Amino acid sequence: MTSRLAKLFTNSFKLATSDLANQYALPVKSMTGHVVSKYGAASSRRLNEKVVEQMRIDENDFIFEIGFGRGDALKMCFERVSSGRGMVFGVERSGYMDEVARKRFILEIAETDKIRIDSAIDLRNLPYPTDLFNHIFHVDVFYFLRQDHLVDITRELFRVLKPGGSVTCGMQFSRLEKLTEHRILEQSQWDPMRCLQALEAAHFSDVQINYHKDAEMGEYQIISARKSLSPIQDLDPEELMRQLAMDMKKERLAVAMMNNKKEAGDC
């Protein structure tokens, strides 16, 4: 009997842990999803602040966040561009988080047109024209991207980033280690080399990881990279033509999608 109870407890623990891990990666509308997403937002709020500070956003910049969660960093970016010509864009895989953010920013979206939330189930095909953004950033996202998709996703980020623009990724090893201890993440998921190698493979420049200290949250890490002002100079001619052809197709589709959304909003 004791053995059966122990087995039942072990199986229940595995199911609960698995549910938490799934909700952390992709929150769904439920009590667990609400609690996990609130916890994730609270524990990463300071890190989001430091990442937004790192980007040194100008009021006329176009900013793109991948995986905006409950929208804390979207708000921080919006406050920096609200008085200029800039805009804040975001994509989120979770339909629940998408709904939460749209409700949170319903007035800003309707009255200012400076926050735009889009669906992008596949980050390898973003609904944006080439060379659109000054800054792209994410916190706690690349851990959940498939390894065999990561380089293609990073190449797509390279496409939509303006020459001279930056990519910034915020991490905090101490928090991620705790999530690993609780079996929410595997350490291999948040190995920063995954992100660094993908950025280099996508022809980003100045790829680096830097360690910082903050009085409130302790040590944290920021991965950063830039798109060269002459991003094509290091490509061989055949690779260049292949990428240009692919970019042209994606750009035509992206422009059509953006125009359709704008026309729908004007109706």
Side-chain angles (χ1 to χ4, degrees):
M1 185 70 173
T2 303
S3 176
R4 289 178 63 186
L5 285 173
K7 186 175 181 181
L8 179 63
F9 175 80
T10 299
N11 289 338
S12 298
F13 177 77
K14 287 181 178 178
L15 287 172
T17 302
S18 176
D19 184 42
L20 284 173
N22 290 335
Q23 292 281 9
Y24 193 84
L26 190 68
V28 297
K29 195 169 185 177
S30 63
M31 180 60 70
T32 305
H34 174 78
V35 172
V36 170
S37 64
K38 291 280 279 188
Y39 166 79
S43 61
S44 64
R45 183 171 291 112
R46 182 61 176 168
L47 181 56
N48 274 300
E49 290 176 357
K50 303 307 288 187
V51 167
V52 172
E53 287 176 12
Q54 171 90 8
M55 291 189 291
R56 299 178 181 176
I57 296 169
D58 182 84
E59 64 180 9
N60 298 317
D61 284 346
F62 276 43
I63 320 299
F64 175 40
E65 181 179 14
I66 306 166
F68 49 75
R70 302 189 73 88
D72 288 345
L74 287 179
K75 184 175 186 296
M76 297 172 200
C77 294
F78 170 76
E79 291 170 349
R80 284 165 169 79
V81 303
S82 59
S83 59
R85 298 189 303 275
M87 287 184 65
V88 183
F89 294 70
V91 295
E92 171 63 60
R93 290 192 308 160
S94 167
Y96 174 40
M97 291 296 93
D98 182 282
E99 178 185 342
V100 168
R102 288 182 187 277
K103 288 180 179 178
R104 179 176 182 176
F105 299 113
I106 187 168
L107 291 178
E108 290 86 346
I109 292 172
E111 296 179 0
T112 72
D113 199 30
K114 284 185 172 292
I115 293 183
R116 173 166 173 154
I117 294 173
D118 290 301
S119 298
I121 298 174
D122 188 349
L123 293 176
R124 295 171 297 176
N125 292 287
L126 294 171
Y128 306 118
T130 300
D131 299 343
L132 179 63
F133 300 111
N134 300 92
H135 304 281
I136 298 174
F137 75 101
H138 59 86
V139 171
D140 293 337
V141 170
F142 83 83
Y143 327 140
F144 308 110
L145 302 179
R146 286 175 48 174
Q147 184 63 35
D148 57 339
H149 289 179
L150 195 53
V151 172
D152 287 337
I153 290 170
T154 311
R155 285 177 178 154
E156 183 70 344
L157 300 184
F158 185 90
R159 179 184 71 82
V160 299
L161 187 66
K162 289 182 178 180
S166 68
V167 169
T168 308
C169 166
M171 306 177 66
Q172 189 179 20
F173 290 169
S174 58
R175 181 166 56 86
L176 296 170
E177 285 167 354
K178 289 180 182 178
L179 291 173
T180 300
E181 290 174 6
H182 293 114
R183 302 181 184 180
I184 305 300
L185 287 175
E186 296 290 338
Q187 188 166 350
S188 59
Q189 289 179 263
W190 55 268
D191 181 352
M193 290 305 298
R194 292 184 64 218
C195 187
L196 293 166
Q197 290 172 351
L199 288 166
E200 290 177 345
H203 303 293
F204 278 93
S205 304
D206 302 324
V207 178
Q208 55 188 288
I209 179 169
N210 290 302
Y211 293 69
H212 305 267
K213 286 190 176 180
D214 177 71
E216 183 177 325
M217 67 174 171
E219 187 176 79
Y220 64 98
Q221 296 74 32
I222 288 185
I223 294 173
S224 60
R226 290 196 170 275
K227 181 174 178 177
S228 170
L229 289 171
S230 302
I232 65 174
Q233 63 186 5
D234 297 325
L235 298 179
D236 65 70
E238 289 187 6
E239 175 67 10
L240 173 59
M241 292 306 296
R242 186 188 71 80
Q243 289 199 15
L244 286 175
M246 185 177 297
D247 287 354
M248 288 172 65
K249 290 179 182 178
K250 288 182 176 180
E251 183 163 7
R252 284 196 294 267
L253 179 59
V255 170
M257 292 177 68
M258 292 185 78
N259 288 339
N260 287 340
K261 277 209 168 188
K262 185 176 180 180
E263 290 173 2
D266 292 339
C267 293

